[in-house]
Amino acid sequence: MIGRGYFVTATDTGVGKTFVTAALAASLRARGRDVAVFKPVQSGAAADDPSGDAVLLGADCVYAFSAPLAPLVAARAGGRTIELEPILARAGELAREHDLLLVEGAGGLLVPLADDLDLADLAAALGLPLVIVARAGLGTVNHTLLTIEAARTRGLDVAGVVLNGKGDESTAENAALIEERSGVRVLAQVPRLADPADAAGYFDEFLG
Ligand SMILES: Nc1ncnc2c1ncn2[C@@H]1O[C@H](COP(=O)(O)OP(=O)(O)OP(=O)(O)O)[C@@H](O)[C@H]1O
Ligand SMILES: [Mg+2]
């Protein structure tokens, strides 16, 4: 159990976990916090690939697979098995060395990692509350409520939801509807921006 920081998950792959994690890190660092960023499992890019999340975030990574496949599939294809223990060991080291930890998941919450392990198990083992990144536009209410319901079923705390990216005419009502239906706060609505650092200010209310 690390218990200091956030586990950033999303309603789907490509929704903006890395962007939001980088923005949160920038915002926390602007507050003088010593933040470690951790991307325990990455697929689609080797650990040192400059286009991969680990390098983009300056994050530690335990399992990296260059195949653009779901982590469990990529691991099997490479004859490897993703295990919780090395991830928790690295997280423990990072937590000892830093004030807090931002962990980016992979894909969404129920993405399988091994035969008896998925991302929700990892979040639970780390003891970190979830920040759920969701698309801003149409379809997001359903996907966000599904993720919140799954998180609750798995006993996970949800710190809040971030609506990210280009919205549409549904966006204005989406935040209110998510809050009304789930009781979970929408922490920020981040528009399309050139750089994650430009989004840091959107977390002022959440981070205080
Ligand atoms: N608010 C934003 N403004 C501009 N570009 C964004 C924003 N959010 C995400 N992007 C861009 O959209 C793409 C997908 O976002 P990102 O990589 O953060 O998603 P992800 O959820 O981390 O994906 P994965 O599941 O592959 O880890 C990236 O190119 C990212 O830079
Ligand atoms: Mg990412």
Side-chain angles (χ1 to χ4, degrees), residues 3 35-36 49 99-100 104 129 133 136 150 188 194:
V35 184
D49 183 332
D99 290 347
L100 82 177
E104 181 185 342
V133 184

Side-chain angles (χ1 to χ4, degrees), residues 6-17:
Y6 299 99
F7 187 97
V8 181
T9 187
T11 53
D12 197 359
T13 186
V15 172
K17 291 182 299 297

Side-chain angles (χ1 to χ4, degrees), residues 7-8 13 17-18 37-47 52-54 57 59-67 69-76 80-88 90 102-108 111-114 117-119 122-123 126:
F7 187 97
V8 181
T13 186
K17 291 182 299 297
T18 303
V37 183
F38 190 27
K39 173 82 185 182
V41 180
Q42 164 169 303
S43 62
D53 289 354
L57 291 168
D60 274 60
C61 180
V62 179
Y63 294 99
F65 307 97
S66 47
L69 301 167
L72 173 62
V73 181
R76 281 181 179 159
R80 294 173 66 191
T81 304
I82 297 173
E83 290 175 316
L84 202 48
E85 201 47 48
I87 296 175
L88 295 183
R90 190 68 196 120
L102 290 179
V103 182
E104 181 185 342
V111 163
L113 296 175
L117 184 71
D118 64 19
L119 261 295
L122 175 55
L126 290 168

Side-chain angles (χ1 to χ4, degrees), residues 2-206:
I2 303 304
R4 262 183 306 125
Y6 299 99
F7 187 97
V8 181
T9 187
T11 53
D12 197 359
T13 186
V15 172
K17 291 182 299 297
T18 303
F19 196 92
V20 166
T21 302
L24 276 170
S27 191
L28 287 159
R29 285 173 181 145
R31 288 167 168 73
R33 307 293 299 275
D34 172 15
V35 184
V37 183
F38 190 27
K39 173 82 185 182
V41 180
Q42 164 169 303
S43 62
D48 60 355
D49 183 332
S51 68
D53 289 354
V55 171
L56 288 174
L57 291 168
D60 274 60
C61 180
V62 179
Y63 294 99
F65 307 97
S66 47
L69 301 167
L72 173 62
V73 181
R76 281 181 179 159
R80 294 173 66 191
T81 304
I82 297 173
E83 290 175 316
L84 202 48
E85 201 47 48
I87 296 175
L88 295 183
R90 190 68 196 120
E93 285 167 15
L94 290 170
R96 275 192 294 281
E97 292 162 4
H98 301 273
D99 290 347
L100 82 177
L101 199 52
L102 290 179
V103 182
E104 181 185 342
L109 194 59
L110 299 189
V111 163
L113 296 175
D115 287 348
D116 54 357
L117 184 71
D118 64 19
L119 261 295
D121 295 319
L122 175 55
L126 290 168
L128 296 173
L130 302 182
V131 169
I132 299 170
V133 184
R135 291 188 182 91
L138 193 62
T140 207
V141 173
N142 176 55
H143 288 145
T144 305
L145 296 178
L146 284 169
T147 299
I148 292 169
E149 198 161 310
R152 287 179 166 154
T153 300
R154 303 292 288 269
L156 298 168
D157 287 338
V158 182
V161 170
V162 176
L163 295 182
N164 183 57
K166 188 173 175 295
D168 55 30
E169 56 271 36
S170 76
T171 303
E173 295 299 331
N174 289 343
L177 207 45
I178 288 166
E179 290 188 339
E180 184 185 313
R181 289 288 169 145
S182 67
V184 170
R185 255 175 84 198
V186 173
L187 307 174
Q189 297 189 47
V190 178
R192 280 198 74 79
L193 297 165
D195 190 279
D198 299 338
Y202 287 86
F203 296 100
D204 283 352
E205 198 189 322
F206 169 45

